[in-house]
Amino acid sequence: MVYLLHFERAYKHARHYLGFVNGAESLEQRLKRHRRGDGAKLVKAVVQAGIGFELARVWPDGDRHLERQLKNRKESPRLCPICSKCRKVVKP
């Protein structure tokens, strides 16, 4: 499963994190680890900076290959429904 986290505010340049959960761990367990600061370095830094995050999107059948494809696109804001909603409000 591939998932996208949306940060409440930017941490340096980052506003999102794309991750992968394998069969040995559930998404809920992975999110708990992220919230404890026990996971990806970026999310750990976000948590230590006092920045909140929320689960924005899930690709249930996603694998590591899809995770890499999405990361390589460098278009997380376009994949994020939270950011998409904000862009619609801002447009004249």
Side-chain angles (χ1 to χ4, degrees):
M1 174 183 312
V2 176
Y3 61 94
L4 177 69
L5 299 180
H6 173 90
F7 304 150
E8 288 179 349
R9 65 179 194 275
Y11 175 77
K12 299 185 181 182
H13 68 284
R15 292 204 45 99
H16 299 91
Y17 173 77
L18 267 164
F20 170 76
V21 178
N22 63 22
E25 183 175 43
S26 72
L27 179 58
E28 293 78 20
Q29 290 170 323
R30 183 69 172 146
L31 291 175
K32 283 180 186 177
R33 286 182 55 208
H34 280 312
R35 292 192 196 288
R36 287 194 315 256
D38 178 27
K41 289 180 184 180
L42 173 60
V43 181
K44 180 178 182 176
V46 166
V47 169
Q48 288 177 343
I51 300 171
F53 64 85
E54 62 184 295
L55 180 64
R57 188 168 177 184
V58 175
W59 290 265
D61 297 326
D63 56 10
R64 286 217 180 267
H65 180 72
L66 176 63
E67 177 197 24
R68 180 54 41 205
Q69 283 181 321
L70 295 174
K71 284 182 176 183
N72 288 341
R73 287 172 53 179
K74 300 184 188 300
E75 295 180 327
S76 293
R78 292 182 64 138
L79 299 171
C80 178
I82 297 167
C83 289
S84 296
K85 187 186 302 184
C86 293
R87 280 194 307 270
K88 289 177 186 174
V89 171
V90 173
K91 286 183 179 179

